[in-house]
Amino acid sequence: MAKKLDLMKALRSYDKTVALFVNGALDSKPFPDSWARIWNGSPARFCVDGGANRLHLECRKEILKHPTVVSGDLDSICEEAKEYFTDKCKIIYTQDQMETDLTKSLRLVAQDERMKRAEVRRDRPDSGEVGL
C-alpha cells in the first residue's frame, strides 16, 4: 500500500518553497485552509497581476501574509489593490505581451533564485582563504 504524502510536512522541510497566486475561481469562496498554510508558510510569495484583487482582501483581514512580489502587465489589477500593495511588497511591471503573466512570473521566480545563489557564492570565502 502506498504511503500518503504529508504535503505540509514536505514543504516545511524545504526552505525554497514558492507560493504563486494567479487570478482564478476563488472569487467569492474562502481560501482553503491548506492553501492558506502553504501561502503563509512560504518564504517567497508571488502574486500574478489580477490575482492581487482577491488577495488584498484577505491580506487586509490578516488571514494571508502579503505577497513578496506582485507582477504582470498590471492590466487586471484594480487601483485599490495596487495602492494597498505599493508599500508592502515589490510590484514588478512586465510588459511583454508575447507571454502570459504566469509565464513571466515563473521567470521572475527563477531569476530570484539565481540571484540568491549568487549572493551565497559571494559570501563564501575563496577556497584558498581562511575565514575568521
Side-chain angles (χ1 to χ4, degrees):
M1 182 173 200
K3 280 177 85 174
K4 186 177 177 183
L5 174 66
D6 182 347
L7 181 60
M8 295 309 295
K9 183 177 179 182
L11 291 173
R12 281 191 301 271
S13 67
Y14 189 63
D15 64 346
K16 295 182 182 179
T17 304
V18 174
L20 185 63
F21 185 74
V22 297
N23 204 3
L26 286 174
D27 287 337
S28 61
K29 299 175 188 171
F31 284 94
D33 289 340
S34 57
W35 189 90
R37 286 194 311 272
I38 291 169
W39 177 265
N40 289 334
S42 296
R45 296 173 303 279
F46 282 70
C47 180
V48 178
D49 202 348
N53 298 335
R54 172 72 162 92
L55 193 64
H56 90 281
L57 299 173
E58 302 303 312
C59 292
R60 283 181 187 272
K61 295 183 228 173
E62 299 182 358
I63 293 170
L64 297 175
K65 288 184 178 180
H66 298 119
T68 51
V69 174
V70 172
S71 69
D73 55 17
L74 307 181
D75 63 343
S76 303
I77 188 172
C78 68
E79 277 305 311
E80 181 183 352
K82 193 185 298 184
E83 287 174 19
Y84 178 76
F85 286 128
T86 295
D87 62 347
K88 294 171 178 57
C89 67
K90 283 188 218 175
I91 297 180
I92 300 175
Y93 174 71
T94 55
Q95 65 182 359
D96 185 0
Q97 294 298 314
M98 299 305 290
E99 293 182 322
T100 66
D101 287 337
L102 174 60
T103 300
K104 293 182 277 189
S105 291
L106 291 171
R107 289 186 191 283
L108 288 172
V109 169
Q111 178 183 4
D112 187 57
E113 177 60 23
R114 285 192 301 270
M115 288 171 50
K116 287 178 184 172
R117 285 182 187 170
E119 289 170 8
V120 168
R121 282 194 298 273
R122 279 196 304 268
D123 290 343
R124 290 184 193 156
D126 291 342
S127 58
E129 294 180 23
V130 176
L132 299 176

